[in-house]
Amino acid sequence: MFKPLISLMAALAAMPVAVASAADMSVKAPPAAPVAPIYNWNGFYAGIQAGGGWATAQTTNVTATTSVPAGFVDSTANFSGVLGGFYYGYNYQFNNQWLVGIDGDFDWADLTGTSTDIGPLNGHLLTHNHDMEWLTTVTGRLGYTVNNWLFFAKGGWAWARFDGTTTNFLGTTYFGIGTEATTRDGWTVGAGLEYGVTEHVSLKLEYDYVGFQTANFTSTDISATNVVTNPSKSTSSSLNIVKGGVGVRF
């Protein structure tokens, strides 16, 4: 009769020891929350782009013609239009935030404009038509990344093709036409941002400015009687561009 009672009392006496031992056992820490991966901007990339451009040009007549004296400065030409093409380059990201790289692009352009002058030597109306056909740049880039966002500045060199014509009228009488074509080069700077839509695809928006060096050239002037002359000219010009693009990183 007393054996079951003695066994129960022994069990009750052992319970505090068991609870104390369990309390002394180390409690496992909860697993750490996973760390979000840093967006990777490294590698080669290529893409397509499109936008608009606004250019100005001022031409000085180095040699005299029948309409203007040597040193005569034509009216400032303002022309604008659209452009589009492709871009390519390489990014190197370091410290998970900074980025350096090299960037190049090529755009076909359709920037046009018109300006007019009255020839001081004979009163003829001179109508100048301007056109920029293409633009290409090679630049270095410095960027700052915030995960999927990239903010960058760029600078380097640019080349562009400009064409122009000048028609010569007095009233309704045609006196001739002059044509010119130059490939101009100069420095360029710009800034913009990119957003990584997926692991390998990003969208960009940027602004660029190009300051062209003075271009020296000769035009081909053909009079109404088919007399050909080649007066010398010089032109200073600049260009502003806003463009967007979509690129793929490899």
Side-chain angles (χ1 to χ4, degrees):
M1 174 178 179
F2 294 101
K3 288 183 178 180
L5 181 59
I6 293 171
S7 298
L8 177 61
M9 293 176 65
L12 291 173
M15 284 182 64
V17 178
V19 171
S21 298
D24 290 339
M25 294 176 64
S26 60
V27 179
K28 290 184 178 181
V35 178
I38 300 296
Y39 191 82
N40 185 3
W41 290 95
N42 278 310
F44 292 96
Y45 61 85
I48 57 175
Q49 61 187 9
W54 299 264
T56 62
Q58 187 140 59
T59 299
T60 300
N61 296 270
V62 178
T63 57
T65 69
T66 57
S67 296
V68 299
F72 180 80
V73 179
D74 293 345
S75 299
T76 300
N78 297 295
F79 43 116
S80 59
V82 297
L83 50 81
F86 55 88
Y87 63 97
Y88 48 88
Y90 180 80
N91 291 327
Y92 175 70
Q93 186 177 7
F94 58 97
N95 292 341
N96 292 330
Q97 286 188 311
W98 292 99
L99 177 148
V100 292
I102 186 168
D103 185 83
D105 65 6
F106 181 90
D107 289 307
W108 290 274
D110 185 20
L111 275 64
T112 59
T114 302
S115 60
T116 59
D117 288 292
I118 301 298
L121 298 182
N122 55 14
H124 289 193
L125 175 64
L126 307 174
T127 302
H128 314 288
N129 293 293
H130 308 273
D131 179 32
M132 192 183 86
E133 295 186 349
W134 55 259
L135 171 74
T136 186
T137 69
V138 176
T139 60
R141 287 209 305 177
L142 174 65
Y144 182 79
T145 69
V146 182
N147 208 6
N148 290 51
W149 288 96
L150 166 62
F151 304 89
F152 65 86
K154 59 189 291 189
W157 211 249
W159 298 262
R161 178 71 172 187
F162 289 84
D163 292 337
T165 62
T166 298
T167 53
N168 187 328
F169 278 88
L170 180 59
T172 58
T173 304
Y174 171 74
F175 277 86
I177 188 171
T179 61
E180 59 195 51
T182 59
T183 298
R184 304 174 193 173
D185 64 321
W187 54 271
T188 179
V189 293
L193 56 87
E194 280 191 63
Y195 178 73
V197 181
T198 69
E199 182 180 359
H200 296 288
V201 177
S202 61
L203 302 175
K204 77 164 183 174
L205 178 67
E206 72 175 82
Y207 164 79
D208 298 318
Y209 175 83
V210 183
F212 293 101
Q213 297 191 105
T214 299
N216 300 301
F217 60 95
T218 59
S219 67
T220 300
D221 292 3
I222 305 175
S223 72
T225 57
N226 290 321
V227 176
V228 178
T229 57
N230 299 105
S232 297
K233 299 183 179 183
S234 67
T235 298
S236 59
S237 50
S238 62
L239 173 66
N240 294 273
I241 306 167
V242 174
K243 57 189 176 185
V246 56
V248 177
R249 202 165 42 262
F250 305 104

